[in-house]
Amino acid sequence: MCIIRLKHIIIMLAVILTVSAISFAAHTTVQISSPAEKSVSVPILMYHSILKHSDGNKYTVSPYAFEGDLKFLNNHGYTTVVMQDLIDYVYNGTELPEKPIVLTFDDGFYNNYYYVYPLLLQYNAKAVISIVGSYTDEYTENCDTNPAYAYLSWNTTREMADSGLVEIQNHTYNLHSLDDGRMGCGKKSTESTEEYTAMLTQDINSMQEKCLENLGKSPAVFTYPFGCASDESLDVIKKLGFKASLSCEEGVNELKHDPEQLYLMKRYIRTPSHGAADILQN
């Protein structure tokens, strides 16, 4: 009799344990680790002036050299994208092409319209031009279109932007200089953080308003003159709503879905002797 009762107790315990295990499993979420998120490699090339004769200026590239870059990119599977494409990838998960690359032009020289824009149309390529507002205002008024030294007007800027191939970004309104002890939009040693923040905010907002008035939209990207950035400037850029910024530090950008990676993005300067093939194959 004792043996039968012991067997009965063992069976009951087994049933209770089985039911408990099923109940626990039903209320427990099993955490499965996902594979590490892959990054997308995005090189950015930095151009300035495009002229047939550079006169030894490392910031001036010939239109033939630029066309050679476009041919190289086409032949090696690269697809030109603009900064908004990178922003959409990071924030919204919008897919990028297999080998994305960004072509940027700083300062807003008129020769970007005279030489670069026709080549963009011919090769169906995209580019980012960061303009200085005071220069654009000046050359809108004086109507000077000499490719050797003139800057874009608002009309030529608007024409390129409306094509869908050119994205216009903010390169300050009037801080592209080395005057008065300030390098670009850098902070002076004699300035307080409050003074600097007020100055930079006013200048950048002026440029945003100019672009909105003349182009119908404000830039989402800030391009640092001479690459002069600081912790204070980064705070201002973020507070003003910019989604990305461009530096002059060289290197490839590895993008995931982290918005912080869009700030101070690296760029390779394209010099007369250092083309796309040299940069991208090293």
Side-chain angles (χ1 to χ4, degrees):
M1 189 71 178
C2 292
I3 295 174
I4 295 174
R5 186 172 298 172
L6 179 61
K7 287 182 178 180
H8 179 71
I9 292 172
I10 292 172
I11 292 172
M12 289 297 296
L13 286 173
V15 171
I16 291 171
L17 289 173
T18 301
V19 171
S20 298
I22 294 172
S23 177
F24 176 78
H27 292 87
T28 302
T29 301
V30 178
Q31 298 292 334
I32 301 176
S33 58
S34 58
E37 181 187 1
K38 293 183 179 179
S39 62
V40 176
S41 297
V42 184
I44 302 178
L45 303 185
M46 175 173 54
Y47 301 82
H48 291 80
S49 186
I50 304 293
L51 288 172
K52 289 184 178 180
H53 305 288
S54 68
D55 296 326
N57 185 340
K58 75 172 185 176
Y59 297 110
T60 301
V61 175
S62 76
Y64 313 109
F66 176 62
E67 183 174 12
D69 288 349
L70 293 177
K71 290 179 179 179
F72 172 84
L73 297 178
N74 279 347
N75 293 337
H76 289 78
Y78 286 93
T79 301
T80 55
V81 298
V82 293
M83 291 299 296
Q84 188 60 50
D85 294 319
L86 305 187
I87 294 170
D88 289 341
Y89 168 76
V90 170
Y91 279 87
N92 306 321
T94 304
E95 288 190 12
L96 288 169
E98 184 177 352
K99 294 175 71 174
I101 188 167
V102 185
L103 309 180
T104 65
F105 291 80
D106 285 11
D107 307 340
F109 290 101
Y110 178 77
N111 55 49
N112 292 178
Y113 175 77
Y114 193 81
Y115 289 117
V116 174
Y117 184 48
L119 289 171
L120 296 178
L121 292 170
Q122 180 181 340
Y123 288 87
N124 192 33
K126 296 181 178 181
V128 177
I129 301 180
S130 299
I131 63 175
V132 180
S134 61
Y135 299 170
T136 311
D137 276 350
E138 179 183 350
Y139 283 85
T140 297
E141 293 178 5
N142 66 29
C143 300
D144 192 343
T145 57
N146 188 319
Y149 59 79
Y151 288 85
L152 295 167
S153 67
W154 286 112
N155 287 336
T156 50
T157 302
R158 187 183 310 110
E159 179 185 341
M160 290 190 293
D162 288 346
S163 73
L165 295 178
V166 176
E167 182 184 74
I168 304 299
Q169 299 298 357
N170 190 323
H171 204 31
T172 74
Y173 180 75
N174 195 28
L175 291 175
H176 194 279
S177 69
L178 303 174
D179 298 335
D180 196 28
R182 186 189 304 283
M183 185 173 184
C185 63
K187 182 176 177 291
K188 294 181 182 179
S189 59
T190 57
E191 260 178 333
S192 68
T193 298
E194 292 74 18
E195 291 170 333
Y196 173 71
T197 298
M199 179 282 302
L200 187 58
T201 299
Q202 188 277 327
D203 179 275
I204 294 175
N205 271 338
S206 294
M207 183 56 174
Q208 292 295 85
E209 292 167 5
K210 283 283 184 178
C211 288
L212 181 60
E213 176 186 347
N214 290 281
L215 305 177
K217 64 183 297 186
S218 296
V221 179
F222 181 75
T223 304
Y224 284 91
F226 314 114
C228 293
S230 63
D231 291 339
E232 295 93 341
S233 66
L234 185 58
D235 290 340
V236 171
I237 296 307
K238 290 180 176 180
K239 287 179 182 177
L240 291 178
F242 287 93
K243 298 295 186 182
S245 62
L246 295 170
S247 75
C248 292
E249 182 182 352
E250 295 198 337
V252 175
N253 303 281
E254 299 292 339
L255 284 186
K256 295 184 179 180
H257 298 290
D258 177 7
E260 288 299 314
Q261 294 177 321
L262 290 169
Y263 294 101
L264 297 176
M265 297 193 74
K266 300 173 182 178
R267 300 186 289 169
Y268 290 103
I269 182 171
R270 205 303 188 186
T271 66
S273 60
H274 200 52
D278 303 311
I279 294 169
L280 298 172
Q281 291 182 332
N282 286 340

